[in-house]
């Protein structure tokens, strides 16, 4: 019974190349989580302003969206292994800049804007290439388990990274934290080098404006895809109060860097617990409904978080929100994999990533502005309510997401065998059909 509930780790045991991809990503994500907390807290230390913390995150939005939208066609045109090699170098460059700035006698604020924006431009490209490579590394029947394993790894880093960041900052300073992030990308680079060539179906699509527009039209034409995009965007824009964590830690809870780390780690801790209990996700045939229920639970938990003044209760609510979010994420990515053919994986995943990462950055700005108007607690509970309302509105406007049944959904394209290069001459469906 327990074995059927716990996440299935079979793909790690059976598929060496997936294990390599997963291991490198695990290490690099720990470094990324360290940097996310360090940038937020260093900005607050240098400026004393929650609004500026939100602006640093908002400053990543334009390069992130540009990199994601333009990167999708690249992932569908080039060898995805080479794309990932390139992104490791570019992502490490931003962390090198943060390290140098932290080593200065008087660190400046502008490098926090510039270096995080540079890294954001390549995050979507890297994420899209990794997601698009999945069905080349594991067979179709094991995709739900592989997605759950990836999600569990990310949530593990969401716990380890923020908690470690708070302690490392308090005892060793910001430069060490950023330096560890640089080292994590070096490890990820080695694991990508060991992967086989990951050519897109039929050798790739031409890089044209029509290719980019085709990806957008494909998402818009599919209510399940459009629905999961909108519902997650609403949850992240309105219900992600991380920009007010430094202010809440120092005022409401009377803490410092360690408390900031705990607040950032709590959603990841809950998500880790939730991700380890996803062994039966493949048995759920209405993933759109599962996504909706999870987002509503997320919004209610964030609303309650904004209303409680006791730190242990606040951490428990953040953990509950994180558990709901990770289950939602697994079902969202199941829909993406089931609906999207290999020839459009890069473009569709890049658009999904733009929402996943762009939403929290808009959310940081929204939370910062709401905190300026009504205080950090108001920013949290009001955002939670708005995310619930967005979920309800999405189901009403896009009923195809709510009704989506994976059993009746026709495959968008024949799945290539694991480790293969796809079926030659396979036609790509009309994205506007």
């Amino acid at each position: 019974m327990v074995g059927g509930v716990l996440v299935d780790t079979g793909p790690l045991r059976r598929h060496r190349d997936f294990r390599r991809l997963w291991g490198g990503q695990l290490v690099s994500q720990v470094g990324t989580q360290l940097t996310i907390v360090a940038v937020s807290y260093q900005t607050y230390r240098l400026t004393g302003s929650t609004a500026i913390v939100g602006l640093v995150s908002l400053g990543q939005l334009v390069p992130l969206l540009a990199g994601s939208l333009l990167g999708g066609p690249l992932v569908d045109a080039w060898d995805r292994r080479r794309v990932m090699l390139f992104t490791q170098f570019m992502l490490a460059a931003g962390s090198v800049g943060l390290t140098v700035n932290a080593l200065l006698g008087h660190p400046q604020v502008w490098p926090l804007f510039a270096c995080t924006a540079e890294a954001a431009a390549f995050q979507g490209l890297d994420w899209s290439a990794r997601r698009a490579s999945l069905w080349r590394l594991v067979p179709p029947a094991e995709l739900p388990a592989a997605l759950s394993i990836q999600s569990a790894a990310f949530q593990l880093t969401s716990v380890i990274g923020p908690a470690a960041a708070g302690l490392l900052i308090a005892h060793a300073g910001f430069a060490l934290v950023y330096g560890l992030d640089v080292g994590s990308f070096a490890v990820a680079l080695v694991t990508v080098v060991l992967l086989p060539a990951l050519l897109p179906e039929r050798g790739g699509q031409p890089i044209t404006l029509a290719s980019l527009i085709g990806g957008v039209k494909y998402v818009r034409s599919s209510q399940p895809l459009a629905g999961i995009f909108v519902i997650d965007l609403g949850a992240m824009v309105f219900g992600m109060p991380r920009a007010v964590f430094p202010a809440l830690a120092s005022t409401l809870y009377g803490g410092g860097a360690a408390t900031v780390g705990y607040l950032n780690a709590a959603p990841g801790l809950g998500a880790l617990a939730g991700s380890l209990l996803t062994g039966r996700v493949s048995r759920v045939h209405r993933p759109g409904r599962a996504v909706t229920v999870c987002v509503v639970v997320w919004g209610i938990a964030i609303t309650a978080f904004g209303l409680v003044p006791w730190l242990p209760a606040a951490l428990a609510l953040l953990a509950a929100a994180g558990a709901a979010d990770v289950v939602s994420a697994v079902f969202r990515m199941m829909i993406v994999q089931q609906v999207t053919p290999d020839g459009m994986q890069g473009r569709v995943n890049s658009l999904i990533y733009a929402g996943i990462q762009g939403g929290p950055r808009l959310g940081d700005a929204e939370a910062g502005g709401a905190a300026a108007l009504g205080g950090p607690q108001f920013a949290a509970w009001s955002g939670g309510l708005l995310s619930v309302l967005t979920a309800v509105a999405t189901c009403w406007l896009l009923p195809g997401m709510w009704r989506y049944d994976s059993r009746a959904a026709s495959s968008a394209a024949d799945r290539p065998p694991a480790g293969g290069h796809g079926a030659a001459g396979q036609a790509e469906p009309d994205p506007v059909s």
Side-chain angles (χ1 to χ4, degrees):
M1 182 70 173
V2 175
V5 173
L6 295 178
V7 62
D8 179 10
T9 60
L12 284 178
R13 298 192 303 270
R14 290 187 287 269
H15 307 291
R16 180 187 60 186
D17 291 327
F18 173 70
R19 185 165 62 246
R20 288 170 173 169
L21 182 72
W22 182 87
Q25 193 171 11
L26 177 69
V27 174
S28 67
Q29 283 174 345
V30 171
T32 298
Q33 291 295 327
L34 291 174
T35 293
I36 288 173
V37 177
V39 167
S40 174
Y41 191 54
Q42 187 179 27
T43 302
Y44 188 73
R45 284 275 300 271
L46 292 174
T47 66
S49 170
T50 296
I52 302 250
V53 174
L55 287 176
V56 169
S57 186
L58 183 62
Q60 302 168 35
L61 180 60
V62 172
L64 185 146
L65 293 177
S68 296
L69 293 175
L70 297 177
L74 299 181
V75 174
D76 286 338
W78 296 346
D79 179 354
R80 289 154 181 172
R81 172 179 172 272
R82 293 188 177 184
V83 172
M84 288 186 281
L85 289 173
F86 170 70
T87 55
Q88 302 318 300
F89 282 107
M90 301 310 297
L91 290 169
S95 296
V96 169
L98 292 171
T99 305
V100 172
N101 181 59
L103 290 171
L104 298 176
H106 299 283
Q108 302 297 305
V109 175
W110 70 263
L112 300 176
F113 282 89
C115 294
T116 55
E118 183 273 341
F122 298 97
Q123 288 170 355
L125 180 61
D126 183 68
W127 191 87
S128 299
R130 290 177 182 275
R131 290 291 185 180
S133 300
L134 264 186
W135 59 0
R136 301 293 173 150
L137 303 178
V138 297
E142 297 188 63
L143 279 174
L147 289 167
S148 295
I149 293 168
Q150 284 195 326
S151 180
F154 177 77
Q155 304 313 328
L156 179 63
T157 65
S158 297
V159 176
I160 295 174
L167 297 174
L168 288 171
I169 292 169
H171 294 91
F174 294 103
L176 176 63
V177 172
Y178 298 136
L180 290 173
D181 192 18
V182 176
S184 74
F185 287 119
V187 173
L189 178 67
V190 172
T191 62
V192 173
V193 168
L194 297 175
L195 293 177
L198 297 168
L199 295 173
E201 186 178 78
R202 291 178 294 162
Q205 301 291 322
I207 304 175
T208 63
L209 180 60
S211 174
L212 174 60
I213 295 174
V216 176
K217 287 183 176 180
Y218 191 87
V219 172
R220 288 183 58 189
S221 69
S222 169
Q223 285 203 8
L225 286 178
I228 62 172
F229 180 88
V230 173
I231 199 171
D232 184 59
L233 185 64
M236 294 300 98
V237 170
F238 299 119
M240 177 62 79
R242 66 184 184 184
V244 299
F245 285 171
L248 289 173
S250 61
T251 57
L252 184 64
Y253 306 125
T259 304
V260 175
Y262 298 149
L263 289 171
N264 279 277
L269 180 61
L272 176 60
S275 66
L276 294 177
L277 300 175
T278 55
R280 297 192 176 187
V281 293
S282 61
R283 302 184 185 182
V284 176
H285 303 298
R286 298 280 188 174
R289 297 183 183 183
V291 169
T292 304
V293 171
C294 289
V295 171
V296 169
V297 172
W298 158 275
I300 292 173
I302 294 299
T303 300
F305 162 74
L307 296 173
V308 300
W310 189 40
L311 180 60
L315 295 175
L317 288 165
L318 287 175
D325 181 56
V326 71
V327 177
S328 169
V330 172
F331 284 118
R332 291 196 310 269
M333 293 315 302
M334 280 178 59
I335 292 174
V336 171
Q337 292 292 329
Q338 290 168 355
V339 173
T340 311
D342 180 75
M344 299 201 70
Q345 280 283 328
R347 284 165 285 175
V348 171
N349 275 291
S350 69
L351 291 169
I352 297 297
Y353 183 83
I356 291 174
Q357 295 296 322
R361 285 162 174 80
L362 286 173
D364 287 341
E366 184 273 336
L373 292 175
Q377 284 186 277
F378 167 77
W381 69 256
S382 64
L385 285 179
L386 287 172
S387 65
V388 172
L389 293 176
T390 301
V392 174
T394 301
C395 291
W396 179 58
L397 294 171
L398 298 169
M401 185 199 72
W402 178 261
R403 295 195 300 261
Y404 175 72
D405 189 332
S406 60
R407 293 169 298 185
S410 59
S411 178
D414 293 332
R415 297 301 195 253
H421 298 299
Q426 184 178 354
E428 180 177 320
D430 182 358
V432 295
S433 59

